[in-house]
Amino acid sequence: MCGIVGYIGDRQATEICLAGLKRLEYRGYDSAGIAIVRDGELEVMKVVGKLAGLAEALEENPLEGTLGIGHTRWATHGKPSKVNSHPHTSMDGRIALVHNGIIENYAELRDQLESEGFEFVSQTDTEVIVHLVDKYYEGDLAAAFRRAVKDLHGAFALGIVSADHPDQMIAARRFSPLVLGIGEGENFIVSDMGAVREWTDQVYVIDDDEMAVITRDSIELTDLEGNPIEREPYTIPWPADAAQKGGHKHFMHKEIHEQPRAMRECLLGRLGAPEKSINLEGLNLTEDEIRGLRKVVFTACGTAYHAGLVGRFLMEKLARIPAECDLAAELRARDPVVLDNTLAIIVSQSGETADTLVALREFKEKGAKVISVVNVVDSSIARESDGVVYIQAGPEIGVASTKAYTLQILTISLIAAHFADVRGAASEHELIELRRAMLGLPEQAQILLDREEDVKRVAARFFESPNALYLGRGVNLPSAMEGALKLKEISYIHAEGYSAGEMKHGPIALVEPSLFTVAIAIKGDVYDKMIGNIQEIKARSGPVIGVAFDGDTEIPRQADEVLWVPESPEMITPITVAIPLQILAYHIADMLDREIDQPRNLAKTVTVE
Ligand code: F6R
């Protein structure tokens, strides 16, 4: 959500903060601000809108100094405005604070502070924190900060600087991610490793209820009682330029094109040959535990939820284990019954999505074993799970998830195939064919990318349509839902992803010439039924884009356009089908001149419930 970058060293803090925030801009971008400490003074600059506005303002009025904190905001409490943007300052303007998260008891804290004479200028929950620090401040910033943090309920990643302490910045976290970059003669606070990789690959990942006092040459980690904590630095596994566009117009485009390589990396060391069994380091489940499973429950949000829906299908069809898939935000309300030997599989790109993290904790409390399928290494979800299988997609910056989605499905397919093998739920022949097909996926993904121009031509035909319907069945129902989500989030075209079987129970009323339908009609169990659905739409003058296997002769006769995918076992087609649908959404959005990497109202990592 919000991005945080703090710097202490010898370089100009504004330059570092702006460059770091640029890498985090995808997390939230309705306002931005920075506070710099220099010569015993604190100077603050804030703007409404994107980071570029802050950069321009700083060009006109440079703030010089080698200690500073910056922030990009995604509004929760209080609309985007200059006063609501961070950093927030104490009444005397000598302490500045940035925050990511939500303070749940802010209303009562605010009432208390107001009764004690503190004046508030914003509508945010964050402002209470800086006044609390000010209230407790008696010359020791770390002591005041520690006391203030103890009064807070909710989620926070915090960074604080003070005009009275030009050699110090302080950070703390609970539930919201926070990382400290370790430099030489300089150190960093960032809300995401990607923001600091340009300057160092050594970081400390901060845990809940830990804080750090950071100088140019030292980082002192403690708990909230002040007890020292020893921690080994973590080495960021990707190269310094991984978070750059590399010649692509948008990160989303780059990430779509990274899929063949990412798939190869995901398979590496896990699946060597079709005849060999799958090796999943980190899964942390014995063969006896796998054989004893009575149920698997996938839980996730958004795109990751769609990957979980595919997972549900694979667990039942392939591994023959009863499976469910829940929206993380709905799970707690349902107070789910967790039977013995239930495995919860949590799916998350960021590993920090608040709703998903809450669902994970709910499962653990109820006694389920929890494994996660995560991209960001050492993220909260990864750390709190009993086992973790990383999808190995590398940094995903575009707000619309692409490579993480296909890699989530690939990883889940590996898990399901492994379970099927251990439980004897599929024949050796079936497993060999599936594993062979999985090994062929990077090549198939490349073939699909090489067809980009064909998909772009289809996009040019439909980009002005106000509405779209995506239909699928069986394992490709989630593909329809994901295709529609991709289109709506980056193009703002209203799109519905629906079960083709459900169409005549309602959505068919929408069909007319200005609504285009994407019908996923690859050969398999549901093919004939999909042809019937296409005919129903055509009979009502609705244009249809079919998604079909190479060489299909029927779909081109029925549909107005066809997006072709190479043939593979039906169970893993959600991986290949996703790629032309990503490309279609991308080009439609590009033709509409949308801000593809930063769609309105969205943030990459949703760290609030
Ligand atoms: C859509 C998208 C979101 C995320 C969702 C979960 O393109 O990216 O729907 O999938 O916010 O995020 P993670 O996977 O980080 O838990």
Side-chain angles (χ1 to χ4, degrees), residues 69-292:
I69 47 174
H71 188 266
T72 46
R73 178 167 186 252
W74 187 86
T76 54
H77 291 77
K79 64 178 185 352
S81 70
K82 220 165 172 171
V83 283
N84 285 340
S85 58
H86 303 217
H88 289 278
T89 47
S90 55
M91 281 162 65
D92 62 5
R94 299 194 64 77
I95 303 173
L97 175 128
V98 294
H99 168 218
N100 178 15
I102 289 184
I103 304 305
E104 284 162 7
N105 59 335
Y106 88 98
E108 72 190 69
L109 289 171
R110 183 172 173 141
D111 288 348
Q112 175 65 29
L113 286 161
E114 277 177 338
S115 73
E116 292 170 18
F118 287 90
E119 284 166 22
F120 283 73
V121 294
S122 78
Q123 291 91 48
T124 65
D125 53 337
T126 304
E127 199 183 347
V128 296
I129 315 173
V130 74
H131 292 317
L132 272 179
V133 177
D134 191 17
K135 171 174 149 177
Y136 294 133
Y137 182 67
E138 288 171 352
D140 182 342
L141 187 64
F145 183 68
R146 185 173 295 122
R147 258 188 94 179
V149 165
K150 281 196 206 162
D151 288 353
L152 305 177
H153 299 168
F156 51 79
L158 299 168
I160 190 165
V161 293
S162 160
D164 298 327
H165 298 270
D167 298 318
Q168 193 176 75
M169 74 184 166
I170 303 179
R173 79 156 253 181
R174 182 183 298 155
F175 302 148
S176 297
L178 196 68
V179 169
L180 306 180
I182 310 164
E184 281 181 23
E186 59 183 3
N187 288 307
F188 311 79
I189 304 174
V190 286
S191 47
D192 180 322
M193 290 181 203
V196 82
R197 180 61 192 91
E198 186 180 345
W199 305 296
T200 178
D201 65 353
Q202 296 298 298
V203 295
Y204 290 123
V205 179
I206 305 294
D207 266 328
D208 286 346
D209 291 317
E210 289 181 355
M211 64 176 266
V213 177
I214 304 148
T215 68
R216 287 174 176 79
D217 301 306
S218 67
I219 296 178
E220 209 182 281
L221 267 181
T222 65
D223 62 18
L224 293 185
E225 303 305 323
N227 300 310
I229 292 172
E230 290 293 319
R231 169 121 345 124
E232 284 297 306
Y234 172 78
T235 305
I236 304 176
W238 15 273
D241 62 358
Q244 286 165 17
K245 281 190 205 147
H248 293 264
K249 188 171 173 190
H250 299 98
F251 279 112
M252 182 181 176
H253 193 259
K254 177 187 177 217
E255 287 155 8
I256 289 172
H257 279 260
E258 280 172 344
Q259 290 177 104
R261 186 176 49 100
M263 284 176 192
R264 264 183 213 107
E265 277 168 26
C266 179
L267 291 166
L268 197 73
R270 293 171 169 170
L271 176 54
E275 300 74 23
K276 291 204 176 139
S277 48
I278 290 165
N279 169 32
L280 292 171
E281 206 183 305
L283 183 65
N284 204 15
L285 284 173
T286 65
E287 295 203 344
D288 275 349
E289 281 176 310
I290 295 171
R291 278 190 280 268

Side-chain angles (χ1 to χ4, degrees), residues 463-481:
F463 79 102
E464 285 168 318
S465 304
N467 294 296
L469 189 60
Y470 284 65
L471 299 178
R473 284 173 179 258
V475 74
N476 277 306
L477 168 57
S479 308
M481 295 162 75

Side-chain angles (χ1 to χ4, degrees), residues 5 65 112 135 161 163 190 205 210 214 248 281 294 299 302 336-337 339 379 400 435 505 523 555 567 573 601:
V5 178
Q112 175 65 29
K135 171 174 149 177
V161 293
V190 286
V205 179
E210 289 181 355
I214 304 148
H248 293 264
E281 206 183 305
R294 288 176 70 194
T299 306
V337 177
L339 304 172
S379 51
R435 293 192 290 241
H505 301 288
K523 282 219 166 99
I555 301 299
E567 205 166 329
T573 51
N601 306 336

Side-chain angles (χ1 to χ4, degrees), residues 285-313:
L285 284 173
T286 65
E287 295 203 344
D288 275 349
E289 281 176 310
I290 295 171
R291 278 190 280 268
L293 288 175
R294 288 176 70 194
K295 193 172 178 185
V296 173
V297 188
F298 289 89
T299 306
C301 298
T303 288
Y305 168 69
H306 297 151
L309 287 173
V310 177
R312 175 181 71 176
F313 192 95

